[in-house]
Amino acid sequence: MLGLPALPSKLPSRNWMIFWTVTTSITAAIIYDRREKDRAIAKWKHTVEHLAKEPVPGSGVMASLAEPRKLTIFLSSPPGDGLRVAQDHYTEYVKPILAASGLDWEFVQGRREGDVRAVIAERVRKARRAQESSPEQEPDSQPTRDELIQAHRRERGIDEYQGIRGDVVIGRHTWKEYIRGLHEGWLGPLTPPPTPEPPLVDEAMTDSDEEKKPAEEEPKPKRPPQIKPYNTTNDYPAESLPLLAPAHFAPSAPIREPHILGFLNTPTRMYRFFNRRKLADDIGREVAAVCLATYRDYRELPESSQNESTLPDPDNTHKYEQQKELEWEEKDWIKKIWKDPKPDDEEAKEITERIWTKPVAMDPRIATRMRRFEIDPEDEARAKQIIVPEEEVEGWTKGKLRQLYRWGVAKVAGPKEKHPWDIDNIDE
């Protein structure tokens, strides 16, 4: 009839109906979640994009050379996995908002437990040495690349950025190293602790053993050795804070990084996979607060909630807000992290201090100087009023279909394109 093919007069079989229903439902859920995730990220991008249009502080020729605001991104390999997972998490949820704000940032990445702690502690000690000692007292020290750049800028009269910088810490495991590094750098000594002397060995026996065994070259380490901690958490009360320590540290923002492994955790992983839009909205809110430089002091927990811990350890009491940040992530860590390493584990031998499995120890002098990024209610209300157009979050297929439709409408109903050889253009 009318050239149409004869349509089937009955529905598909039961098996086909089940197959198409399940397949369509899963596909629709994935597409919807991905589109809403992109919409949440785009909303927070529009919230901070006005910062990219603001001029850099300065006047005259120095305005183009003035140092912009620079953030520090701390990330490390999640327990039981590699660094690439943390990098992909940052690229998917954090980087788009930072790029839209026009801010500058640098990375501190750790491939093993303790790398971030060592970098933070060494940076703090280097800042303390610059304040407490003069360059003439350390003639053998070689300036680093950053120190050479800062000296070059000072020679040309370019001042450093004096505003709020900020630290973005991704994951509970990185947050623990961040806290430990701050305490070690500000409370610990500037010189490493003395190493124990090796036991004495009979030289005669040593010479005879060397004659019997041929000289063997020691294998080169795959990574540079990790700096050993200058103090422990038990040393905090006995150590003194430097007199030149700032009244407030740079604000920080702990960013959640849900990461769970194991076949038995497949239902949890599937639920999180279909609800990534909520994760994108939560992370976007935290990153937007960092870009807008709105912060507050970390709070001291009331006595009624100090023992409310999500971990079964009875000694894990919380007095400060920093100790409870992202604590729920520890329940998802693999069991191998909580066990003592084996004696023949080469990777465990490279770790100088186990931080992930220990509770967060806070010193009041450090805890009261820390500040947390938090978005203002006015900025959050402004973000809710932002309407993201559909063209900004649609996929490739829908976008191409929309372009094809507009091209067809323009060809049919649009103004006719004039050519030099048309009769109407002779007089022109």
Side-chain angles (χ1 to χ4, degrees), residues 26-89:
I26 295 176
T27 304
I30 294 175
I31 294 175
Y32 173 77
D33 180 73
R34 181 175 299 178
R35 186 182 66 214
E36 294 302 316
K37 183 199 72 173
D38 295 340
R39 192 188 304 276
I41 295 176
K43 178 186 70 173
W44 294 110
K45 286 170 58 178
H46 291 310
T47 305
V48 302
E49 64 183 0
H50 67 278
L51 300 175
K53 303 176 183 179
E54 295 181 358
V56 178
S59 59
V61 181
M62 293 302 175
S64 59
L65 301 176
E67 185 179 4
R69 183 187 175 200
K70 192 173 186 179
L71 306 175
T72 306
I73 313 296
F74 297 93
L75 56 88
S76 60
S77 305
D81 218 324
L83 182 61
R84 185 60 181 268
V85 176
Q87 293 174 342
D88 293 342
H89 181 80

Side-chain angles (χ1 to χ4, degrees), residues 333-377:
W333 293 354
I334 58 177
K335 298 179 180 179
K336 179 182 176 182
I337 298 299
W338 304 100
K339 298 179 181 179
D340 295 332
K342 298 180 180 179
D344 56 346
D345 191 351
E346 297 296 335
E347 295 183 359
K349 294 180 181 179
E350 299 177 358
I351 300 174
T352 57
E353 182 184 9
R354 292 176 61 86
I355 304 174
W356 295 349
T357 57
K358 296 180 180 179
V360 179
M362 297 293 301
D363 186 271
R365 295 165 292 179
I366 302 297
T368 54
R369 284 173 164 80
M370 296 181 64
R371 295 174 292 177
R372 192 194 195 285
F373 284 110
E374 187 176 62
I375 194 168
D376 288 339

Side-chain angles (χ1 to χ4, degrees), residues 117 121 125 179-189 191-193 227-240 352-355 358-363 365-366:
R117 184 272 313 164
R125 285 192 291 264
I179 297 294
R180 178 70 179 95
L182 285 179
H183 284 75
E184 179 186 344
W186 287 110
L187 298 179
T191 57
I227 301 177
K228 295 182 179 180
Y230 285 21
N231 63 353
T232 62
T233 56
N234 298 327
D235 300 334
Y236 293 168
E239 293 174 330
S240 59
T352 57
E353 182 184 9
R354 292 176 61 86
I355 304 174
K358 296 180 180 179
V360 179
M362 297 293 301
D363 186 271
R365 295 165 292 179
I366 302 297

Side-chain angles (χ1 to χ4, degrees), residues 12-162:
S13 63
R14 179 181 63 89
N15 295 339
W16 276 111
M17 289 288 289
I18 295 174
F19 170 77
W20 287 116
T21 301
V22 173
T23 303
T24 306
S25 301
I26 295 176
T27 304
I30 294 175
I31 294 175
Y32 173 77
D33 180 73
R34 181 175 299 178
R35 186 182 66 214
E36 294 302 316
K37 183 199 72 173
D38 295 340
R39 192 188 304 276
I41 295 176
K43 178 186 70 173
W44 294 110
K45 286 170 58 178
H46 291 310
T47 305
V48 302
E49 64 183 0
H50 67 278
L51 300 175
K53 303 176 183 179
E54 295 181 358
V56 178
S59 59
V61 181
M62 293 302 175
S64 59
L65 301 176
E67 185 179 4
R69 183 187 175 200
K70 192 173 186 179
L71 306 175
T72 306
I73 313 296
F74 297 93
L75 56 88
S76 60
S77 305
D81 218 324
L83 182 61
R84 185 60 181 268
V85 176
Q87 293 174 342
D88 293 342
H89 181 80
Y90 157 80
T91 304
E92 185 175 3
Y93 297 102
V94 180
K95 183 180 178 180
I97 303 173
L98 293 179
S101 65
L103 301 178
D104 191 13
W105 65 87
E106 62 178 346
F107 278 108
V108 174
Q109 305 184 70
R111 296 184 178 274
R112 55 190 172 183
E113 181 180 1
D115 286 350
V116 174
R117 184 272 313 164
V119 173
I120 296 175
E122 186 61 28
R123 286 188 175 185
V124 175
R125 285 192 291 264
K126 189 174 295 184
R128 289 175 55 189
R129 294 190 189 103
Q131 295 177 350
E132 299 177 5
S133 61
S134 59
E136 290 78 14
Q137 294 178 358
E138 299 178 1
D140 299 335
S141 61
Q142 297 294 331
T144 61
R145 179 175 176 270
D146 294 337
E147 293 175 350
L148 293 176
I149 293 176
Q150 294 298 333
H152 179 79
R153 298 175 70 89
R154 285 193 298 267
E155 291 176 358
R156 283 151 181 79
I158 304 174
D159 298 332
E160 297 182 2
Y161 181 78
Q162 301 298 330

